[in-house]
Amino acid sequence: MTKNSVFKTFKKKLLGNNENTSRHVIFIVFFIIYVVMCVYYLYPLFWTLSNSLKSVEEYYDSTLALPKTWDFGYYVKIFTTFRVGEAGFWTMAVNSFWLAFGSQILNLLASAMLAYPLARYNFPGKNFLYGVIVFRITIPIIGGSAAGYKLIRALNMLNNPLPYSLTWFMGFDMSALIMYGYFKGISKEYSEAAYMDGATRLQTLLTVVLPQAIPCIIALYISNVMGRWNQYSESMLYLTKFPNLAYGLYLFQDEVLFVEGGTPMFYGAIILSAIVPIVLFMVGQKTMLLNMSVGGLKG
Amino acid sequence: MADRFSNGNFLSRQIGKLKTHIKKKYNMEDRQAFGFCYLMVILPVITFCVFWLYLNIDSVFLAFQDGDGNFTLDNFKQIWTAFVAEDKYGFNLWDMLLQSWLFWIICRFCWVVQTLSTYILYKRIPGHYIFRTIFMIPSVLGGIVWTLIMKSFVAADGPILQWVNMMGIEVSLDVQMKGFLNAIESAVPTLLLIQVLPAIFQFSFVLSGAFARIGDEMFEVGKLEGIGFIREFITISIPLVWPTIIITIIGWFSSIFTQDNGAFLYTNGKHGTASVGFYLFYLAKSITDEGGKAGLYGYPSALGVLFTAITVPIVMVTRHFLEKVHADVSY
């Protein structure tokens, strides 16, 4: 393809075929803004990565310059030097894994257990439960953290991950509302046919409905895990002895000047802790785009 | 009356009546379906009752209790003191409210651009896939990673200050020494800017999903009518995704006091950057740091009760009016 034809295709895509002036102007303005914004979003990442590859001396010489040599030495040191209390990098990474991936398995299981009957059956109390989900999403109850700490402490769940995981099994949230919409949209014909063939209600759910809802479940799972991966509050408030990478970074930022590798190594730790959500986003972007939508609140 | 209730058979008689009523009203098939539904929802409902319902009811009681569990209004008096002077941590509640509202108002203006931006990306501007991927970076990286990157970016040895110096723009010695976030004159605008900018063009999956559900025929009709891009956006697309927008707008009002706890990571509330969202998290962390001493629960709970009491009517009224703007749509 010649340069000219590439330009023509781009122009056609940007301006469209018809003469819609407002669209042309808006698209051109936004295209320019988008390019500027891309620099705003990407440059800090690039800058952090670039400085993580410098030696401490090189970093303090100039934080703007590119690294003279790409030195991955500090990345190796992160595994031994990036520590919070007794937890090293790998311990924090494992904590991040179960806090993010584990919590969302329980959360989505609870959301599905709640959303499925609400979407597919008529039973006394159905509207009330749906109302509770909407109430919880829309009505703000502020400042429950003090009572939350008191309750978690009273139940001996502080720094006790297994019992603490019960708090994730709630489901009255946006995931339940999204699943509700998705389950409602799945045709009832297949499940009715399965039921007529002698399948139990649970079998119908597991073998007919759930496989059809997998795209939605995967989209929610990826989106929620991404949100959870770098969440520090749970580790900071309730699971202080199980720091995840996010909490580790929060604590470590005040110590960077006192450890070997200093700031460049800290930047390396930031980059490493961002890998999992970036990979998840790359893998799940399309699934999330196609399967996440909320209809309305009326049920 | 007392005899009626003291009679052990009363309860079983009532349960019997209820059973007969259910048997008459619903057939075996229905009753089995109900049993299945209740079995499915029972565990989430129990967890919800313990970790949300009980927790929030307890929060209300805690607001009116001192450290020994006796009734008191001291927690609310402390709030008043924090409004007119300072609390024991040195924060003024009125200043924090103003900071929260400032951030909230700026974010709401940005939302208009964000919605239009999501729509333009949905309409496949050239490079839309790359743009929307890049615009998701702050959300993908999560609060802590993006915060630490941006914090370094505006620090004394960060690139922004170096560029400012290169361009010959004069900044105070305080900024030169401490960076933009740690100098009192620049902390608030810097924090607002680095928190708000990522929000402006952030791509919304939920909104984009709602746009994607609009059938092409809707736009074809618009084209035949000869309407422009902005009119198409306002008169066709917005009404059709209105239910999703309602949820978004209600979400705004729900988080009017809690949205911005970014100050916790960026400045720890120093240099006038403290907001209510920051403060509530700061108080929760103080409880953890002090090992959950009995006297620490009342004040944050009282604050929660006060802000909930202010926010709930706002949300209810907003929802009521929003649902009247456009009828609920299905397409």
Side-chain angles (χ1 to χ4, degrees):
Chain A
M1 204 184 260
T2 62
K3 265 187 186 174
N4 206 18
S5 65
V6 170
F7 179 72
K8 271 183 184 166
T9 317
F10 177 78
K11 197 177 154 192
K12 193 178 158 190
K13 275 191 170 180
L14 186 64
L15 303 180
N17 290 320
N18 59 345
E19 287 301 315
N20 189 334
T21 320
S22 59
R23 179 192 153 109
H24 297 173
V25 173
I26 288 166
F27 268 35
I28 290 167
V29 169
F30 267 80
F31 187 83
I32 295 164
I33 296 171
Y34 284 168
V35 173
V36 175
M37 286 309 293
C38 283
V39 175
Y40 171 79
Y41 286 112
L42 288 176
Y43 184 73
L45 258 184
F46 170 77
W47 180 82
T48 310
L49 177 68
S50 149
N51 280 302
S52 72
L53 300 172
K54 290 176 182 172
S55 65
V56 177
E57 295 75 27
E58 206 184 336
Y59 172 77
Y60 284 111
D61 268 355
S62 168
T63 57
L64 277 180
L66 290 171
K68 284 170 193 155
T69 52
W70 286 25
D71 181 6
F72 286 91
Y74 288 136
Y75 278 85
V76 181
K77 280 208 169 66
I78 289 166
F79 302 125
T80 52
T81 318
F82 178 30
R83 299 189 71 82
V84 171
E86 289 176 12
F89 177 85
W90 290 113
T91 311
M92 286 187 273
V94 169
N95 289 340
S96 288
F97 261 98
W98 63 257
L99 271 167
F101 288 85
S103 70
Q104 289 319 303
I105 289 174
L106 289 179
N107 178 252
L108 287 187
L109 183 64
S111 297
M113 285 170 73
L114 197 60
Y116 177 71
L118 292 181
R120 311 283 286 197
Y121 291 91
N122 277 319
F123 61 96
K126 171 188 161 155
N127 292 337
F128 173 75
L129 285 177
Y130 184 82
V132 173
I133 296 176
V134 173
F135 180 86
R136 196 192 165 206
I137 292 170
T138 55
I139 302 297
I141 306 289
I142 301 163
S145 47
Y149 185 86
K150 186 177 162 240
L151 178 65
I152 300 286
R153 193 177 178 213
L155 294 173
N156 200 24
M157 287 177 170
L158 280 181
N159 287 310
N160 209 348
L162 206 59
Y164 181 81
S165 62
L166 264 179
T167 61
W168 300 325
F169 194 81
M170 193 146 43
F172 284 79
D173 53 16
M174 191 56 97
S175 299
L177 201 63
I178 291 174
M179 277 196 192
Y180 169 84
Y182 205 90
F183 283 136
K184 223 175 175 185
I186 294 173
S187 166
K188 283 190 176 175
E189 284 173 17
Y190 292 112
S191 45
E192 276 166 6
Y195 190 60
M196 297 297 274
D197 284 346
T200 63
R201 288 182 178 82
L202 188 64
Q203 283 169 335
T204 311
L205 165 64
L206 297 177
T207 58
V208 179
V209 180
L210 221 49
Q212 292 183 72
I214 278 177
C216 172
I217 293 169
I218 290 175
L220 279 172
Y221 189 68
I222 292 173
S223 157
N224 293 358
V225 168
M226 266 165 41
R228 277 271 181 168
W229 180 263
N230 276 312
Q231 199 196 66
Y232 55 90
S233 55
E234 234 168 11
S235 279
M236 192 179 275
L237 299 178
Y238 308 122
L239 298 167
T240 46
K241 289 181 184 165
F242 297 88
N244 61 353
L245 284 170
Y247 186 42
L249 285 172
Y250 170 80
L251 293 174
F252 199 64
Q253 62 178 328
D254 298 327
E255 295 174 25
V256 286
L257 297 176
F258 309 108
V259 294
E260 194 190 349
T263 313
M265 193 203 71
F266 181 58
Y267 290 155
I270 291 175
I271 296 289
L272 282 184
S273 67
I275 288 174
V276 170
I278 288 174
V279 170
L280 277 174
F281 178 70
M282 293 299 175
V283 172
Q285 191 190 174
K286 202 172 175 189
T287 318
M288 285 191 282
L289 190 65
L290 291 173
N291 296 288
M292 279 173 68
S293 64
V294 187
L297 297 176
K298 287 182 180 170
Chain B
M1 192 75 172
D3 286 346
R4 241 182 106 189
F5 282 103
S6 62
N7 187 346
N9 288 330
F10 176 74
L11 193 64
S12 56
R13 273 211 307 276
Q14 293 303 314
I15 293 171
K17 273 185 187 173
L18 189 67
K19 275 182 179 172
T20 319
H21 172 74
I22 290 171
K23 274 182 185 171
K24 274 183 189 170
K25 199 172 177 190
Y26 303 107
N27 60 29
M28 189 64 166
E29 182 75 12
D30 286 340
R31 292 201 302 267
Q32 281 176 349
F34 295 167
F36 172 75
C37 292
Y38 293 133
L39 276 176
M40 287 283 283
V41 301
I42 189 78
L43 279 176
V45 167
I46 290 171
T47 328
F48 176 80
C49 289
V50 175
F51 293 108
W52 193 87
L53 193 61
Y54 167 78
L55 189 152
N56 285 303
I57 292 170
D58 192 36
S59 187
V60 176
F61 282 112
L62 284 172
F64 295 95
Q65 282 175 8
D66 61 15
D68 299 321
N70 302 316
F71 175 81
T72 181
L73 289 174
D74 280 356
N75 300 316
F76 291 92
K77 284 180 193 163
Q78 273 190 59
I79 295 177
W80 177 250
T81 312
F83 257 112
V84 293
E86 282 180 350
D87 75 343
K88 63 176 178 179
Y89 302 104
F91 292 112
N92 178 277
L93 203 48
W94 181 244
D95 288 344
M96 290 189 282
L97 267 176
L98 291 180
Q99 176 71 8
S100 288
W101 286 333
L102 179 67
F103 179 73
W104 190 86
I105 289 165
I106 293 172
C107 280
R108 300 302 65 93
F109 279 113
C110 294
W111 179 81
V112 178
V113 185
Q114 194 202 56
T115 306
L116 182 62
S117 171
T118 301
Y119 188 65
I120 288 169
L121 290 170
Y122 156 72
K123 282 286 181 181
R124 295 170 176 259
I125 190 172
H128 63 96
Y129 185 83
I130 297 168
F131 287 139
R132 78 165 186 240
T133 305
I134 292 171
F135 295 166
M136 286 297 291
I137 284 175
S139 318
V140 171
L141 296 183
I144 191 100
V145 169
W146 185 250
T147 302
L148 291 174
I149 291 175
M150 292 312 289
K151 211 173 160 180
S152 311
F153 216 62
V154 295
D157 56 354
I160 298 284
L161 196 55
Q162 293 187 45
W163 287 331
V164 166
N165 289 334
M166 279 178 201
M167 286 187 277
I169 301 169
E170 267 189 40
V171 288
S172 73
L173 188 66
D174 207 24
V175 175
Q176 293 281 4
M177 299 288 286
K178 299 174 184 168
F180 288 97
L181 278 173
N182 290 319
I184 196 153
E185 65 193 271
S186 57
V188 172
T190 309
L191 185 65
L192 284 174
L193 202 67
I194 55 182
Q195 280 195 290
V196 166
L197 259 179
I200 300 179
F201 295 98
Q202 200 176 49
F203 176 73
S204 164
F205 272 109
V206 172
L207 202 54
S208 188
F211 284 136
R213 285 164 58 200
I214 303 173
D216 285 342
E217 66 278 6
M218 300 283 186
F219 298 119
E220 292 301 328
V221 172
K223 267 182 195 167
L224 290 173
E225 296 281 326
I227 63 171
F229 185 78
I230 289 290
R231 257 190 84 195
E232 175 192 281
F233 173 66
I234 294 169
T235 58
I236 298 177
S237 304
I238 290 292
L240 288 173
V241 298
W242 194 245
T244 306
I245 290 178
I246 288 181
I247 294 176
T248 311
I249 295 176
I250 289 170
W252 299 346
F253 285 97
S254 304
S255 59
I256 193 165
F257 294 118
T258 54
Q259 188 181 13
D260 54 329
N261 69 351
F264 183 80
L265 292 176
Y266 280 110
T267 57
N268 204 22
K270 289 172 191 158
H271 317 301
T273 56
S275 60
V276 176
F278 154 81
Y279 190 49
L280 291 168
F281 191 75
Y282 183 87
L283 291 173
K285 178 143 190 328
S286 307
I287 295 173
T288 309
D289 291 345
E290 294 185 41
K293 280 183 202 162
L296 293 169
Y297 300 113
Y299 178 61
S301 301
L303 268 176
V305 168
L306 177 72
F307 288 132
T308 304
I310 297 169
T311 321
V312 169
I314 296 174
V315 171
M316 303 284 262
V317 171
T318 309
R319 187 180 162 185
H320 177 75
F321 281 108
L322 285 173
E323 284 177 349
K324 284 190 170 181
V325 176
H326 292 295
D328 207 6
V329 286
S330 55
Y331 49 90

